[in-house]
Amino acid sequence: MSKVVQYLQTPTFRKNLIAAVIAIVCLFLFVYIGLKIYTKHDESIAVPKVKGLHISAAIQALEEAGLEYQIDSVYQMDAKPGMVIEQDPEQGFHVKSGRTIYLTIITQVAPEVAFPNIKDKTLIEATAILKNHNLRIGDTSYVADIARDIVLDAQFAGQSIRNGRMIPKGSRIDLVLGNGLGANEVEIPNLVGLPLNEAKFALSGAGLGLGTVTYDPSVTDTATAVISVQSPGIEKGLTSLGAKIDVTLSLTAPTATTGAPAGGTTTPKPQANQTQVTPPAAKPPVQSKPAAQAKSNTTNTPAAKPTTTNPAAGQKKEKENKGNSLGF
């Protein structure tokens, strides 16, 4: 013990102790100053706002601030490609120079998806299927087909697209739909002169439908009314299968100018060598001679211009014709 005390009192110990203290102090100062230099103590940079900028503008802003960056990408159907939608750290956060800023952008190349089967689906079903596959509906066009609002064809970039083809997400798909009127044309039947129930039967047999039914003011009993006007008429010739025919009902059908009207009879034209006698309105026609004698008189009568007499002078004119035929 006495030797230790004696050693502590020697000049050699004091020199070694002083040297050790100086070395420790120098090491501390070296580490302290070195860390301040390495960590850039009391030096910070405010993170600039790059969210909402295009990736090229965001990179330029970060490089001017002396910051590093790391980019990740996601896909959003309605967002602009290359747009920065997230940044970490946020705007205004103070960091050291050279700090890495993590950016999330909208991918500039959309990922691809297999085209789903939407043919023979309704427009509502096709819309839901395309939305689930991150696809959008473009233009819709209609063609003649008996199925209404049914997808007949799907087109991408102007060409028909098959099921399972890989196309970019967010692509617009044009749809071709049926208009419900049918792809075939049928001849328009003549409905003039027919009652409504018969017209319905005729339209059903032709693959057509009954449209608007209009009644003339003179119609009091619809059961006895007949069709006087139809639209479109038979002069059009053909119409699409399933089309509607509008009709107007009247008490009587119009008389046809040529041929026999619907449901009517033809009236023969009067002969030039026959005399027509119009009986009085209130009296039935009077036959003064038997049928055989009347036939003989008609045969012997010389050709003459037909004359029209008043109902009151009918009998007198008939007697004069009889006299002329007997030679008196």
Side-chain angles (χ1 to χ4, degrees):
M1 184 65 182
S2 60
K3 290 182 178 180
V4 174
V5 174
Q6 291 177 359
Y7 176 75
L8 293 176
Q9 294 177 355
T10 60
T12 303
F13 172 75
R14 288 194 295 267
K15 291 179 181 179
N16 292 336
L17 179 61
I18 293 171
V21 172
I22 292 174
I24 292 173
V25 171
C26 291
L27 179 62
F28 176 78
L29 292 176
F30 176 77
V31 173
Y32 177 74
I33 295 173
L35 288 175
K36 287 190 68 175
I37 295 173
Y38 178 76
T39 59
K40 299 178 182 180
H41 187 63
D42 295 334
E43 179 185 350
S44 64
I45 301 173
V47 177
K49 181 183 179 182
V50 295
K51 183 178 180 179
L53 300 178
H54 193 270
I55 184 59
S56 58
I59 291 175
Q60 182 178 357
L62 294 176
E63 288 179 346
E64 291 176 355
L67 300 173
E68 301 292 334
Y69 57 88
Q70 184 173 338
I71 301 173
D72 190 14
S73 61
V74 296
Y75 174 77
Q76 290 183 3
M77 184 168 61
D78 297 325
K80 183 178 179 181
M83 184 72 64
V84 178
I85 59 173
E86 294 292 342
Q87 72 175 81
D88 184 28
E90 295 290 339
Q91 172 193 4
F93 194 83
H94 289 270
V95 297
K96 304 296 182 182
S97 61
R99 170 73 181 271
T100 300
I101 307 300
Y102 298 92
L103 305 177
T104 303
I105 68 172
I106 302 298
T107 179
Q108 301 192 61
V109 179
E112 293 185 337
V113 62
F115 184 73
N117 182 16
I118 60 173
K119 290 185 179 180
D120 298 329
K121 305 287 186 183
T122 63
L123 179 59
I124 297 176
E125 293 174 338
T127 302
I129 294 174
L130 292 177
K131 185 176 181 180
N132 292 336
H133 286 75
N134 291 322
L135 298 173
R136 292 179 289 183
I137 293 181
D139 297 331
T140 56
S141 59
Y142 287 85
V143 297
D145 191 86
I146 196 170
R148 181 175 180 82
D149 288 335
I150 298 297
V151 178
L152 304 178
D153 190 20
Q155 298 179 350
F156 173 65
Q159 296 181 351
S160 297
I161 181 171
R162 67 180 186 277
N163 301 334
R165 175 183 170 183
M166 302 301 294
I167 59 175
K169 289 184 178 181
S171 300
R172 290 182 174 272
I173 306 299
D174 299 332
L175 301 180
V176 179
L177 308 173
N179 59 7
L181 299 180
N184 300 322
E185 290 186 336
V186 296
E187 185 176 358
I188 301 175
N190 186 12
L191 306 178
V192 176
L194 299 178
L196 186 60
N197 57 345
E198 295 184 12
K200 291 180 179 179
F201 182 78
L203 291 174
S204 177
L208 303 175
L210 181 64
T212 303
V213 179
T214 306
Y215 291 90
D216 281 348
S218 59
V219 176
T220 57
D221 186 4
T222 58
T224 60
V226 294
I227 295 176
S228 58
V229 179
Q230 69 178 75
S231 178
I234 59 175
E235 64 278 358
K236 185 179 178 181
L238 301 177
T239 187
S240 299
L241 184 68
K244 304 292 184 179
I245 305 296
D246 301 332
V247 298
T248 300
L249 279 83
S250 305
L251 291 178
T252 58
T255 303
T257 56
T258 59
T265 58
T266 57
T267 303
K269 295 182 179 180
Q271 299 292 332
N273 58 349
Q274 292 182 350
T275 302
Q276 293 183 348
V277 179
T278 304
K283 294 182 180 181
V286 178
Q287 296 180 356
S288 56
K289 296 293 182 178
Q293 185 177 359
K295 182 177 180 181
S296 175
N297 293 339
T298 304
T299 304
N300 298 330
T301 303
K305 293 184 179 180
T307 57
T308 304
T309 59
N310 294 329
Q315 295 179 354
K316 181 177 180 182
K317 190 68 178 179
E318 184 178 1
K319 291 180 179 181
E320 294 178 357
N321 293 337
K322 179 180 177 182
N324 293 333
S325 61
L326 296 176
F328 294 106

